[in-house]
Amino acid sequence: MNGNQIVTKLDNMLHWVIRLVMLNILWFIFSILGLFVAGIFPATAAVLGIARKWLMGDKVKIWTTFKDIYLHEFKAANLMGWTLSVMGIILYFNYRVIVSNNSEMIFIVPFAFYFIIFFYTILVIWSFPLLVHYKATCLQHFKNALIIGLSKLQYTIVSGAIVLCLVYGSLSYPGVIPFFTVSAIGICCMWLPLQIFNQLDQRQQVTAKTERTTHLSAEIN
């Protein structure tokens, strides 16, 4: 490797570091603008939206694109985020009840609870990537999240493991949280789902092309 290649690689690395830091800071700024209650979920959608564009090779102006996605997805992201949050709160209180009454419950109750947790985890992992990639209702996104999450279980497991590792690493070194944690999780959470979405999109394009060809042939005949 010559000197020019080393400089180019270092330049690309520095460029990515700067972009990740900017994206992470924007997440905090826009979350605060929404007083966290109304800002954290659209800010998260904006992070995933920009990550999606980067991974697809698009050149974006981070500030402008972040603001546009934040405003465009503000209502849908809050609806989805708070629906998932309420579900999580209900599951947490159910968990406390199960723990405090564990000796009095039949084994099927904890088993059913963890089964529900499994489906809830799938919703959390897939719903927001679906939100920024497809146009649909919140209910449709949840339905598609379950279908994709179960049919592509290996991707679900890997995505969950990566997020847990990044969260664990960030808590171990809290200094990175203001600069890299959210943006790094956003990139990782979008990369794997995007592989599936691209496959689905290509399959839909092939199906649509085949249907058009069949329809045209039928008209000619």
Side-chain angles (χ1 to χ4, degrees):
M1 186 180 293
N2 58 40
N4 289 334
Q5 289 176 322
I6 294 174
V7 171
T8 300
K9 286 185 178 294
L10 288 174
D11 182 66
N12 289 335
M13 187 181 300
L14 181 61
H15 185 60
W16 267 103
V17 168
I18 292 173
R19 291 201 292 182
L20 289 174
V21 171
M22 289 180 62
L23 188 58
N24 209 81
I25 291 173
L26 283 176
W27 183 84
F28 279 102
I29 291 173
F30 278 80
S31 294
I32 293 171
L33 287 175
L35 302 177
F36 280 101
V37 174
I40 189 170
F41 297 119
T44 300
V47 168
L48 291 171
I50 289 182
R52 171 181 172 272
K53 291 180 179 295
W54 283 345
L55 292 168
M56 294 178 70
D58 297 340
K59 293 182 179 180
V60 299
K61 295 180 179 179
I62 298 179
W63 168 263
T64 303
T65 306
F66 193 103
K67 182 180 65 174
D68 290 343
I69 297 174
Y70 180 92
L71 294 175
H72 184 264
E73 302 293 352
F74 188 87
K75 184 177 180 180
N78 272 309
L79 176 61
M80 178 176 287
W82 280 109
T83 300
L84 290 171
S85 296
V86 170
M87 289 181 185
I89 292 170
I90 292 172
L91 288 172
Y92 172 75
F93 282 115
N94 276 273
Y95 169 76
R96 297 304 304 173
V97 171
I98 290 173
V99 170
S100 60
N101 298 281
N102 190 40
S103 59
E104 301 174 8
M105 290 185 178
I106 58 175
F107 77 95
I108 195 65
V109 174
F111 178 81
F113 174 77
Y114 288 114
F115 191 69
I116 294 172
I117 288 290
F118 170 72
F119 282 99
Y120 175 74
T121 303
I122 291 176
L123 288 178
V124 171
I125 290 174
W126 287 95
S127 293
F128 271 87
L130 281 165
L131 174 68
V132 300
H133 191 79
Y134 294 108
K135 292 182 178 180
T137 64
C138 182
L139 187 60
Q140 288 172 325
H141 284 315
F142 285 161
K143 177 183 176 181
N144 292 333
L146 290 174
I147 293 171
I148 296 174
L150 289 171
S151 62
K152 303 292 182 180
L153 191 56
Q154 68 275 26
Y155 286 86
T156 303
I157 294 171
V158 172
S159 294
I162 291 174
V163 171
L164 287 176
C165 289
L166 288 172
V167 171
Y168 178 79
S170 298
L171 293 176
S172 300
Y173 302 96
V176 305
I177 293 176
F179 304 103
F180 294 107
T181 299
V182 177
S183 55
I185 290 175
I187 292 287
C188 294
C189 283
M190 201 66 223
W191 184 77
L192 281 173
L194 196 58
Q195 313 307 308
I196 303 301
F197 299 160
N198 288 337
Q199 293 175 17
L200 294 174
D201 294 341
Q202 291 173 4
R203 195 177 303 166
Q204 288 178 351
Q205 289 173 5
V206 171
T207 302
K209 185 176 180 181
T210 302
E211 289 177 351
R212 286 197 300 268
T213 303
T214 303
H215 182 67
L216 181 61
S217 299
E219 288 181 348
I220 293 174
N221 294 331

